[in-house]
Amino acid sequence: MTPEEVGARLVALLAPVEATPSVSGGQRYARATVDVPPASWRDALRAARDDAELTCDFFDWLSAVDELAEGFDVVAHLWSTRLRHGVLLRTRLPRDAATVASVVDVYPGAAWHERETYEMFGIGFEGHGELRPLLLPPEFEGHPLRKEFVLASRVAKPWPGAKEPGESEAGGGRRPIRPPGVPAPGEWGTTPTPAGAGGAGEGPRGGTPARPAGERPARPAPGARPARTPRPAGAADGPAPPDQPAPGASPGGPVADPPARGDRTDDDGGTA
């Protein structure tokens, strides 16, 4: 089934409930998306699981999106392991009454996801029974994935970009903005000196410190070549051959006369 056919089939199963089908993504990543009212949330997931043409037997994930004044979108993705298609179900909850029915009885695997969504967004799931802390310590206050939640790091250190709700008015300007978690130069660690920097580092962060000017070797002027060593007159082209010691002489000692041809020295010093 195509994503359009999957969405149309689920809308027909939920009739007369007003459900809105659409397609998210594109090409091979296209996915049928169906928006349903909160009262039909559990019925929509059950219909996607039990219908013979959909058979979405695999629960993939569940989470939420903070839409500020418009409320919260609770989103669940289901998949059919036999027919190889999926559907994205979505419902919108008002901000002052962010509660929807739990689907643990339809998909037991949703228990972990509902606990996380409750902890991070403050959305209640009626019928779950165990909405206790999952990732945060019990003493933690607030829901960190809500957009009005102010991170402690933003209070301790002004953020040099767009302000978040409740953030200090300090900071701002047109300074370069680094991704969150990336330290500024000079804060920690060492980095190699970039090529062409002449050995100059980046302050305390590292790099090889530049040598004093007096210790640097003099550089020749552009186009200048070093003088060549003069060669003795009459020398042949090519490298000069190394000095060869004379026959019968030890290296570094005087040259001895070779014995006459035909003469032989006896052991007692006489000649034969």
Side-chain angles (χ1 to χ4, degrees):
M1 300 178 68
T2 65
E4 292 81 4
E5 293 173 342
V6 172
R9 177 61 182 174
L10 188 56
V11 170
L13 293 173
L14 296 175
V17 174
E18 294 184 2
T20 305
S22 61
V23 176
S24 60
Q27 299 180 359
R28 60 181 297 187
Y29 302 103
R31 184 73 73 242
T33 304
V34 180
D35 291 275
V36 300
S40 303
W41 176 246
R42 184 189 300 172
D43 296 337
L45 273 77
R46 190 187 301 276
R49 183 197 66 178
D50 296 342
D51 181 66
E53 297 185 22
L54 297 178
T55 61
C56 293
D57 54 336
F58 179 75
F59 178 87
D60 192 3
W61 54 266
L62 180 147
S63 188
V65 180
D66 187 351
E67 299 292 350
L68 295 176
E70 298 180 8
F72 298 97
D73 280 343
V74 178
V75 188
H77 183 254
L78 311 177
W79 182 256
S80 173
T81 57
R82 182 170 63 87
L83 301 178
R84 311 301 296 174
H85 61 234
V87 60
L88 199 68
L89 286 167
R90 192 165 53 191
T91 188
R92 177 158 295 182
L93 307 177
R95 200 169 194 84
D96 55 351
T99 303
V100 71
S102 174
V103 295
V104 174
D105 58 337
V106 182
Y107 292 102
W112 189 95
H113 299 258
E114 290 183 352
R115 285 178 59 189
E116 181 191 35
T117 305
Y118 167 75
E119 188 174 34
M120 296 295 171
F121 291 92
I123 299 175
F125 293 89
E126 296 179 352
H128 187 284
E130 289 190 77
L131 293 178
R132 49 191 173 84
L134 178 68
L135 303 175
L136 301 174
E139 64 273 10
F140 190 91
E141 298 181 1
H143 307 286
L145 290 188
R146 287 196 174 198
K147 291 183 177 178
E148 75 267 13
F149 187 86
V150 181
L151 297 178
S153 60
R154 301 293 191 267
V155 178
K157 183 177 181 180
W159 184 248
K163 303 293 189 301
E164 292 183 352
E167 191 175 7
S168 171
E169 293 298 328
R174 298 185 62 83
R175 294 177 293 171
I177 300 176
R178 297 180 304 277
V182 177
E187 288 188 358
W188 63 275
T190 59
T191 56
T193 301
E202 298 181 8
R205 287 192 65 209
T208 305
R211 291 180 296 176
E215 298 181 12
R216 294 184 179 179
R219 294 184 178 180
R225 299 182 61 182
R228 302 182 64 178
T229 304
R231 314 179 90 188
D237 293 338
D243 294 337
Q244 299 285 345
S250 59
V255 179
D257 293 335
R261 189 173 184 180
D263 293 343
R264 179 168 51 88
T265 305
D266 293 338
D267 294 339
D268 56 356
T271 59

